[in-house]
Amino acid sequence: QEHKVEFSCARNMTLTFLPNEKRELDVFFLINKTQPIFMECKTGDYRQELDKYVALRKRLGIDQNHFILCVSDLDQEQSKGLSAMYGMTFVNTQTLGQHFLTLL
């Protein structure tokens, strides 16, 4: 709102694929009616789920910068390394706002 950007937001959104495959996302944003941003928030042990998110990002054709995993206890070096390795954007609670500003 501060940047006068149109957006919509949904929490706990469920995507349904055929046949009966469902994926839940923590947060979905639509910026300026055209730019989808998917975000998952993780704490603790999340690494066993990474392949699931890589496959979902590819299946939906979402740009790496628009598929965000916010992991509270990552430092910047870990975020950069995981982003490069998995083709998604990893941020922590301190760098999330910065990343969103780059998407506007």
Side-chain angles (χ1 to χ4, degrees), residues 82-100:
L82 289 168
S83 294
M85 186 182 306
Y86 288 99
M88 296 178 283
T89 299
F90 285 78
V91 296
N92 59 36
T93 53
Q94 288 76 37
T95 59
L96 177 61
Q98 279 177 262
H99 182 68
F100 269 113

Side-chain angles (χ1 to χ4, degrees), residues 42-44 46 71-75 78 92-93:
K42 297 294 176 196
T43 58
Y46 58 91
V71 182
S72 60
D73 59 349
L74 286 183
D75 62 36
Q78 290 172 313
N92 59 36
T93 53

Side-chain angles (χ1 to χ4, degrees), residues 1-74:
Q1 290 174 334
E2 183 179 305
H3 292 277
K4 309 263 188 278
V5 175
E6 285 187 50
F7 70 94
S8 299
C9 179
R11 292 179 28 209
N12 298 321
M13 186 172 100
T14 301
L15 301 174
T16 303
F17 300 101
L18 295 176
N20 300 326
E21 179 186 349
K22 293 185 178 187
R23 297 280 185 240
E24 185 176 304
L25 293 169
D26 289 338
V27 184
F28 169 80
F29 292 95
L30 190 59
I31 307 290
N32 291 325
K33 298 180 184 176
T34 60
Q35 188 176 359
I37 299 171
F38 295 85
M39 186 170 74
E40 284 292 312
C41 303
K42 297 294 176 196
T43 58
D45 189 18
Y46 58 91
R47 292 182 189 253
Q48 72 276 4
E49 299 180 49
L50 291 178
D51 289 336
K52 173 179 77 171
Y53 294 123
V54 169
L56 181 60
R57 186 190 71 76
K58 289 179 181 178
R59 185 174 195 178
L60 296 173
I62 301 298
D63 183 82
Q64 174 177 342
N65 288 328
H66 296 168
F67 201 100
I68 302 165
L69 266 74
C70 183
V71 182
S72 60
D73 59 349
L74 286 183

